[in-house]
């Protein structure tokens, strides 16, 4: 009997250990964006390389991915560097190289956590459970949209066929709140959570209600959950909420939260995004 | 006549260009923290190295600093790497080395911006102007506190002499809002703004109302202002607002905004902080 086909996410983030500290991978058409791969799958791949590394200590705490240049369809190479290992934290650097150029860089902090007093300062958004929110079809022209099941409570993809006139100055709200999971469903882990941190469509689509070229320049994720919490989440949808804070001179930022079904904060994430107006 | 003494901030962040891509610097007692230097002065120094680099393009857009290990009093060496230069963005890596080990790493994105449609999504906090808020004396035992003039509107340093009992579970608010500037006053620039992004005392001090060992592990800053806006701010205090989002298993995060006197968002910043309970 042939082996069961792996999940498209696992196929897209698969890596081969190469020389010491080096891995090779390949872009996946399933996670293609308008140009190049979905930034979330790149983040997941870079984080996944550290998770695979034999020297890795503990679990992800912080990840910053800088999208330095376009990634072309095809093979790429990752160079992982364990920069410093302390008693309970470990600092990493990862570069993604393709065709002799660095297309992405990342830094990550991993930590061996121990239980302490804990508390959540911000509130879980009061929304209907996922089962009561219909799945929204996303535009079929973007491949990676098809890898996620999205149930928007607010701030879904605008209908650009009814875009407002160019002189419209309405300050449309940029908040999106949605239940989201891999499609087909897949048990949550750190790379999948990293990818979900980038599923929010560019906030400028919402603010301007018209198509605008935009792309993430840098994304930072803080992982608040441990592996056991992610496993407990299983294949259930997580709740994401994102909004912009400031748009100026070609760049805007986005801040977002990802919550578990049982109201635990799994991750908080920021990104700065290029836009062309 | 001797040259006028430079500002302590300039003395603390001064660098000598060494070999190609290398700079040397020295810690400053004026910006000492409980252990090692104030994290903000380290961030300012790393960013300053890129600003000084002859290949530098444009202005800072994003900075992530990872505090990988303790920095001892004394000399250190910075290694700057221009990872990739595009038409309008430039990606950097900077390492801080001391005694043969890497004590901090940073990545930065610089950008040559051009004017576009712009907007602020979040609101300027409605607070009294700086002139109407008294300056708060901060504990003299921490040297770097003396380099800042802080006028707290809310969330100042708690009086630990009246710390609540250990079994107190009151969810004290972690928001701090303050007017802050260098003391003596100094015209704002990107390194000074980076340092100000780290002036907020650990949120766990506010949440628990008692002293708790804590230290920043990673900080990310998005610069929303350009050099002209910073120069226009001059020596006036900026408005900072910070709060925690989540505390779990030895780490919490902090999100913060820094606003100009004339209500422009200068920077947004996040950090993840170790705490011991």
């Amino acid at each position: 009997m042939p082996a069961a086909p792996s999940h498209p996410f696992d196929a897209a983030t698969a890596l081969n250990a190469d020389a010491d500290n080096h891995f090779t991978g390949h872009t996946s058409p399933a996670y293609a964006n308008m140009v190049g791969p979905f930034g979330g799958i790149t983040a997941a791949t870079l984080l996944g390389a550290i998770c695979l590394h034999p020297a890795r200590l503990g679990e992800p705490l912080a990840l910053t991915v800088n999208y330095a240049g376009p990634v072309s369809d095809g093979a790429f190479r990752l160079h992982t560097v364990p920069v410093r290992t302390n008693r309970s934290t470990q600092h990493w650097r990862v570069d993604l190289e393709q065709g002799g150029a660095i297309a992405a860089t990342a830094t990550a902090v991993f930590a061996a956590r121990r239980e302490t007093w804990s508390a959540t300062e911000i509130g879980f958004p009061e929304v209907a459970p996922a089962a009561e929110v219909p799945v929204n079809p996303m535009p079929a022209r973007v491949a990676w949209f098809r890898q996620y099941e999205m149930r928007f409570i607010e701030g879904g993809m605008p209908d650009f066929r009814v875009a407002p006139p160019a002189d419209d100055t309405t300050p449309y709200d940029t908040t999106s709140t949605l239940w989201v999971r891999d499609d087909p469903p897949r048990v949550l882990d750190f790379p999948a959570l990293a990818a979900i941190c980038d599923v929010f469509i560019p906030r400028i689509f919402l603010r301007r209600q018209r198509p605008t070229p935009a792309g993430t320049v840098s994304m930072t994720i803080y992982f608040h959950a441990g592996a056991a919490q992610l496993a407990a989440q299983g294949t259930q949808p997580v709740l994401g909420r994102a909004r912009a804070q400031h748009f100026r001179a070609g760049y805007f930022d986005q801040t977002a939260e990802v919550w578990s079904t049982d109201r635990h904060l799994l991750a908080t994430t920021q990104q700065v995004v290029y836009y062309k107006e």
Side-chain angles (χ1 to χ4, degrees), chain A:
Chain A
M1 251 175 76
S6 72
H7 192 283
F9 183 88
D10 295 298
T13 57
L15 294 171
N16 287 310
D18 196 338
D20 265 9
N21 289 321
H22 285 81
F23 296 85
T24 52
H26 198 286
T27 60
S28 161
Y31 286 86
N33 204 347
M34 303 290 279
V35 179
F38 165 47
I41 206 76
T42 302
T45 305
L46 294 168
L47 184 67
I50 305 171
C51 294
L52 280 177
H53 197 289
R56 188 258 312 163
L57 169 84
E59 297 183 347
L61 175 66
L63 174 70
T64 293
V65 181
N66 300 294
Y67 299 91
V71 176
S72 306
D73 292 342
F76 54 80
R77 194 160 195 236
L78 303 185
H79 181 208
T80 56
V81 182
V83 173
R84 181 163 179 151
T85 299
N86 300 310
R87 195 165 50 86
S88 64
T89 57
Q90 193 174 46
H91 288 256
W92 289 87
R93 192 177 85 222
V94 189
D95 292 330
L96 187 155
E97 305 160 348
Q98 198 183 44
I102 291 183
T105 67
T107 62
V109 186
F110 276 55
R113 292 183 169 214
R114 49 179 196 77
E115 286 312 310
T116 62
W117 170 87
S118 297
T120 306
E121 185 87 1
I122 55 174
F124 180 82
E126 289 307 326
V127 298
E132 295 174 16
V133 182
V135 174
N136 296 78
M138 295 288 280
R141 67 181 179 280
V142 178
W144 74 263
F145 283 164
R146 296 193 295 268
Q147 312 311 320
Y148 290 96
E149 177 197 271
M150 300 192 191
R151 300 166 186 263
F152 280 92
I153 292 135
E154 59 180 334
M157 178 66 85
D159 183 351
F160 292 141
R161 292 168 306 182
V162 292
D167 61 354
D168 181 8
T169 57
T170 310
Y172 297 100
D173 185 26
T174 66
T175 306
S176 288
T177 306
L178 72 158
W179 290 105
V180 58
R181 64 172 166 180
D182 292 302
D183 185 12
R186 178 181 175 280
V187 173
L188 194 62
D189 57 14
F190 288 107
L193 180 56
I196 283 173
C197 285
D198 194 39
V199 296
F200 307 100
I201 54 173
R203 302 294 92 191
I204 195 148
F205 288 8
L206 295 167
R207 177 70 190 220
R208 303 281 273 165
Q209 295 283 312
R210 55 174 187 254
T212 308
T216 302
V217 174
S218 183
M219 173 169 69
T220 290
I221 302 170
Y222 296 152
F223 297 95
H224 298 291
Q229 273 179 283
L230 301 189
Q233 174 69 15
T235 62
Q236 302 171 91
V238 296
L239 183 68
R241 172 168 279 184
R243 74 175 300 195
Q245 298 188 114
H246 197 64
F247 302 82
R248 191 186 74 81
Y251 298 90
F252 70 86
D253 72 337
Q254 171 189 289
T255 181
E257 308 149 17
V258 180
W259 298 82
S260 73
T261 313
D262 58 355
R263 309 166 77 92
H264 288 110
L265 188 59
L266 300 177
T268 47
T269 179
Q270 323 292 324
Q271 57 178 266
V272 61
V273 182
Y274 158 85
Y275 67 95
K276 186 171 179 180
E277 266 285 319

